[in-house]
Amino acid sequence: MECGAVSDILKTFQFDPMQQVADFEKQRGSNENYARATVVRVVGSSASRPGDKFLILEDGELIGFVGGGCIRTAVKRAGLEALSTGQTKLIQVVPKAVADEMDEIPGKDIALNHCPSEGEVELFIEPIIARAPIHVFGRSQLANAVMELGQFAGFPVRHIIEPADFSKTETDGYCVIATCGENDFEAFLAALKSRCPHLLLIASRKKAARLIERAQATVPQERIDQLITPAGLKIGAIGTAEIAIAIIAQVILLYRQAAKGRVSI
């Protein structure tokens, strides 16, 4: 069967691959790593059309894929490589006769299409690395600003009002302690005793020193050494809004550094 005939069959079964992609990204996209493939160019017969999108999950599953089996392996391999390196990829799937005549193009991978239709498909593949949650401690105006900006930046946000409610088994994300005078030590200790990898304390150096001194009796020094304080990138921030921006900027930096190196955060 020609690959181009697949579109008609899909209509018969009312299969909507783009809706599959949209549903996945809405329901699970913020919690899972995956690669998004966008069809850039099509030459000849192909079930795909420019602008089509589909996803490659870490286990190799394809979501919304409408191409033939002839290119499935190449697409899956490219998606998994993008996830492994954290880098975008441009891939062109072409018949062998075309590949033999092509010069090497820096930044573009060539894969063979063995399908009898001999269509060509060019795809842009980008890794999407899940954003771990920001756990914001406190009921202060600053805590509210951090939560609002964190959500705007695309991070899941969890508001921790009672430090005792924060699980010691929490293993991902960013703890932002923005208590500003209310339950400071309780929140600080709860964050330290969790397994959350990134700890950001919003406090003066003097206040941070007092909190650290109290915590040293029950918290290992190597854990305390993971603390980022004063939290926030050094942008000369003044006032609630600017400090919140500095905090979220630092969270974004930590996220990007980890995503680039494909470190789980």
Side-chain angles (χ1 to χ4, degrees):
M1 178 185 294
E2 293 289 330
C3 288
V6 175
S7 297
D8 294 332
I9 296 176
L10 294 177
K11 292 177 183 178
T12 301
F13 288 97
Q14 297 183 326
F15 172 70
D16 188 345
M18 295 294 281
Q19 189 60 49
Q20 279 196 342
V21 170
D23 289 346
F24 175 90
E25 294 196 312
K26 180 179 180 180
Q27 298 168 12
R28 298 164 57 189
S30 63
N31 300 316
E32 297 187 36
N33 299 330
Y34 61 96
R36 181 192 297 127
T38 303
V39 178
V40 177
R41 187 173 66 94
V42 174
V43 177
S45 179
S46 173
S48 300
R49 297 291 180 266
D52 283 354
K53 298 180 187 295
F54 54 90
L55 312 176
I56 304 100
L57 308 190
E58 286 191 301
D59 63 1
E61 180 185 355
L62 300 182
I63 302 291
F65 180 70
V66 297
C70 310
I71 68 170
R72 176 182 291 269
T73 300
V75 167
K76 183 185 297 187
R77 182 186 302 115
L80 294 178
E81 287 177 358
L83 280 171
S84 176
T85 63
Q87 303 297 312
T88 58
K89 293 177 68 69
L90 191 62
I91 178 173
Q92 188 170 353
V93 187
V94 300
K96 186 177 185 305
V98 175
D100 290 342
E101 299 296 325
M102 294 178 65
D103 294 327
E104 183 175 343
I105 302 176
K108 179 187 288 188
D109 291 350
I110 303 299
L112 296 182
N113 178 9
H114 298 287
C115 185
S117 65
E118 297 189 336
E120 300 179 28
V121 181
E122 188 168 340
L123 307 113
F124 176 70
I125 299 178
E126 54 184 327
I128 309 297
I129 309 303
R131 297 184 179 222
I134 303 175
H135 310 281
V136 182
F137 291 76
R139 293 186 287 193
S140 64
Q141 186 179 10
L142 180 55
N144 292 333
V146 169
M147 288 190 293
E148 185 175 349
L149 284 173
Q151 290 174 333
F152 182 74
F155 290 87
V157 173
R158 298 174 184 170
H159 192 192
I160 312 299
I161 297 177
E162 296 296 334
D165 294 338
F166 189 61
S167 174
K168 293 181 180 180
T169 61
E170 189 64 57
T171 60
D172 67 344
Y174 314 84
C175 286
V176 177
I177 303 158
T179 45
C180 299
E182 181 183 9
N183 295 326
D184 289 335
F185 183 69
E186 291 79 5
F188 182 59
L189 198 60
L192 282 172
K193 290 189 173 182
S194 76
R195 297 170 61 191
C196 189
H198 302 289
L199 308 174
L200 293 84
L201 173 62
I202 304 174
S204 66
R205 296 182 187 278
K206 186 175 181 180
K207 182 176 181 178
R210 289 201 305 268
L211 292 172
I212 290 171
E213 184 177 6
R214 287 184 64 186
Q216 285 174 327
T218 57
V219 178
Q221 185 61 43
E222 56 267 26
R223 178 58 169 163
I224 293 175
D225 289 342
Q226 293 179 303
L227 181 67
I228 299 174
T229 189
L233 292 187
K234 299 184 186 306
I235 59 173
I238 298 176
T240 298
E242 292 182 5
I243 294 172
I245 290 170
I247 297 298
I248 296 303
Q250 187 158 45
V251 169
I252 292 171
L253 177 62
L254 292 168
Y255 164 74
R256 289 298 176 190
Q257 289 174 335
K260 184 176 181 180
R262 289 297 286 115
V263 176
S264 175
I265 59 169

